[in-house]
Amino acid sequence: MIALTLTEIAAAVRGTIRLAGDDTPETIVSGEVDTDSRAIAPGGIFVAKPGETTDGHLFVGRAIEAGAVLAIVEHPVDESVTQIVVDDVVVALADLARDVVARVRAHGRLRVVGITGSNGKTTTKNMLARILQDEGETIAPRGSYNNEVGAPLTMLRVTDATAFLVSEFGASGPGEIARLAGLVTPDIGVVLMVGMAHAGGFGGIEATTVAKSELVRAVGAGGLAVLNADDGRVASMAAIAEERGVRVRWFGQGASADVRGSDIEVTASGTRLTVTADGESLPLHLRVLGAHHVGNALASIATATALGVSLANAVARLETVELAERWRMQPLGSDRVRIINDAYNASPDSMAAALRTLAQIVGPGERTVAVLGAMSELGEYAGEEHDRIGELAVRLRIQRIVIVGTGARRMFLAAVGEGSWDGEAVFFATADEAYDYLLGELRDGDRVLVKSSNSAGLRFLGDRLGESFS
């Protein structure tokens, strides 16, 4: 975090200072901010956030041992560290992030990019950060820091030397993107796609569209909206941009896109395509697996070139990206048995895209195996969407369909009902049972997709399989 006095921090978070040791109201603090006492470094600020199972106030002492010099708390704790007492530490965290970003913007060259979408946020964020980091200091979320805690923590990492802040905005309900984006008023808002992810929390696809459009509404006047021309719901957000005096830059595969992908060829080593931006065309070998990442790459190129990066540099830097993120289309195993671990998140759209990728990358004499678990946060749509994925796996002629966990049982039943009655589809209640089966079932030439929502835990099954067949 930038250097601030205790008085300045207290004013930003609307809190009361309780001094300890030799501190005075003018003592300067500049360490990193975190809600995890295990991540605190010397000079850091610990935010004692209450949680569902524990309370950060219980870990202030541990944070002090790690080097914390300030704790932001909701009630005083009996520890020898200066504390700022606030009504709500999560609100205080947001207020501090807003203040810090505003200060850096006031006397620096900081440009802020916000990214949202039902799928692809983290991948696009990583791609864009890779392109921009050679242009100047770039701050982007670690992992999927995109909620009411993670997004402000990322914002608080900016310094006076930061050129680009790339923020990822996730949401499970209306108003969340508006609150997060409102902390920084992005110069550029990127909307990737609207799908069924978190539809249970939003109340359906149309409500999801409204929620994702909150980012376009948050872009400052004279700013830029980078929109997916291939997604009709995203494309409709251009009207909002026009109302707000925000320019639009399109990406997609259609001829009208400002940044367009064509001649797309999906292989086991990645995806090859031609990228055309503002009349210039270059080949791109995208090493991240899956045709569904083409849109993410185009969005990152559209944003980077709007920020002044040449197409040639954007393409060259993207070609160095081998992995979107751990557990996201992550190749494991070996050439003999290739495991694709994509079990960090799953929605109906990303599940379908991953299955299509599996079907596309198999070669002669190779076999497709899909290990699938439940998709979370679908609410009333969960049953029909699990049915749809089970049916799709059969229609794509996936040769072995392994369904894991009671939450995904309808996927198995749908696969059987669609025509997988000769043993192609099997069901296991636990990941351990599935692992034992797969150890005996997998053979040379198998290409194995492991896909589920984070809560299903299949990412660890993917890791075990990757190690076993490495």
Side-chain angles (χ1 to χ4, degrees):
M1 191 185 74
I2 62 172
L4 295 173
T5 67
L6 292 172
T7 296
E8 289 171 327
I9 295 172
V13 302
R14 293 169 288 177
T16 303
I17 305 173
R18 294 174 60 92
L19 296 171
D22 297 328
D23 286 347
T24 74
E26 299 311 305
T27 295
I28 293 175
V29 179
S30 61
E32 287 201 17
V33 183
D34 215 300
T35 58
D36 187 341
S37 62
R38 297 166 297 183
I40 291 293
I45 301 171
F46 177 60
V47 179
K49 185 179 81 70
E52 294 182 4
T53 58
T54 188
D55 186 345
H57 293 79
L58 301 174
F59 297 91
V60 173
R62 192 171 297 176
I64 296 169
E65 293 173 2
V69 297
L70 173 65
I72 298 177
V73 296
E74 292 182 359
H75 58 79
V77 296
D78 187 19
E79 297 286 356
S80 57
V81 67
T82 293
Q83 300 165 42
I84 295 179
V85 184
V86 299
D87 292 335
D88 186 317
V89 295
V90 175
V91 172
L93 186 65
D95 288 341
L96 184 58
R98 179 189 293 108
D99 184 80
V100 165
V101 172
R103 287 173 183 270
V104 172
R105 263 190 158 154
H107 54 82
R109 54 174 181 147
L110 179 66
R111 303 294 300 279
V112 179
V113 179
I115 300 172
T116 195
S118 298
N119 299 114
K121 295 181 295 296
T122 298
T123 299
T124 304
K125 170 262 299 184
N126 287 339
M127 288 178 172
L128 180 59
R130 172 62 194 93
I131 295 171
L132 294 179
Q133 70 184 26
D134 290 347
E135 302 292 319
E137 181 178 285
T138 300
I139 300 297
R142 299 174 177 129
S144 293
Y145 267 33
N146 62 21
N147 62 10
E148 63 180 359
V149 173
L153 287 177
T154 299
M155 296 167 189
L156 286 166
R157 289 167 47 213
V158 300
T159 71
D160 290 325
T162 303
F164 305 104
L165 168 62
V166 180
S167 288
E168 177 184 337
F169 298 132
S172 55
E176 294 180 21
I177 292 172
R179 285 193 294 274
L180 294 176
L183 300 178
V184 291
T185 311
D187 300 292
I188 299 177
V190 183
V191 186
L192 300 170
M193 56 91 70
V194 175
M196 289 297 293
H198 312 296
F202 289 113
I205 194 72
E206 297 307 324
T208 302
T209 303
V210 173
K212 298 304 180 185
S213 72
E214 291 170 9
L215 178 56
V216 179
R217 297 185 186 279
V219 173
L224 179 69
V226 176
L227 303 179
N228 185 351
D230 299 335
D231 186 312
R233 294 184 174 90
V234 175
S236 71
M237 299 176 193
I240 298 171
E242 183 178 355
E243 291 172 7
R244 294 188 47 78
V246 170
R247 295 172 292 116
V248 173
R249 187 163 171 80
W250 299 101
F251 69 90
Q253 297 178 34
S256 63
D258 299 299
V259 177
R260 185 173 72 257
S262 59
D263 304 322
I264 298 169
E265 178 188 0
V266 180
T267 71
S269 63
T271 303
R272 296 185 182 276
L273 66 149
T274 298
V275 178
T276 300
D278 306 312
E280 180 184 5
S281 296
L282 287 174
L284 167 63
H285 179 200
L286 190 62
R287 299 165 74 181
V288 180
L289 291 178
H292 52 296
H293 289 307
V294 168
N296 303 329
L298 295 175
S300 67
I301 292 171
T303 306
T305 51
L307 289 167
V309 180
S310 70
L311 177 60
N313 282 339
V315 165
R317 294 166 192 171
L318 269 184
E319 289 188 333
T320 69
V321 178
E322 297 183 16
L323 179 66
E325 187 94 9
R326 187 183 180 192
W327 298 318
R328 286 180 168 87
M329 298 302 284
Q330 181 181 7
L332 298 171
S334 63
D335 289 339
R336 185 171 65 87
V337 176
R338 175 63 66 199
I339 311 295
I340 303 170
N341 194 351
D342 193 30
Y344 186 82
N345 270 326
S347 69
D349 300 288
S350 69
M351 185 79 82
L355 284 170
R356 290 191 181 98
T357 295
L358 177 65
Q360 287 173 318
I361 65 173
V362 69
E366 297 175 346
R367 185 175 66 157
T368 52
V369 180
V371 183
L372 308 176
M375 301 176 288
S376 62
E377 299 185 64
L378 292 174
E380 63 183 289
Y381 307 98
E384 62 189 74
E385 293 299 332
H386 281 84
D387 290 348
R388 188 169 69 86
I389 295 302
E391 294 164 358
L392 177 64
V394 175
R395 292 169 187 168
L396 289 172
R397 301 184 183 278
I398 304 301
Q399 291 157 283
R400 284 290 181 272
I401 304 168
V402 182
I403 309 299
V404 185
T406 55
R409 186 170 179 82
R410 277 191 62 161
M411 202 182 290
F412 165 69
L413 296 175
V416 173
E418 184 63 20
S420 178
W421 54 74
D422 194 27
E424 296 95 340
V426 294
F427 173 80
F428 297 98
T430 69
D432 286 340
E433 292 174 298
Y435 175 75
D436 291 339
Y437 165 80
L438 289 163
L439 279 185
E441 171 66 23
L442 296 182
R443 65 193 190 204
D444 287 3
D446 281 352
R447 300 296 176 252
V448 185
L449 169 70
V450 182
K451 180 73 174 170
S452 74
S453 284
N454 199 343
S455 58
L458 295 199
R459 62 195 186 281
F460 303 119
L461 172 59
D463 285 345
R464 291 176 70 189
L465 291 171
E467 184 175 349
S468 296
F469 290 97
S470 62

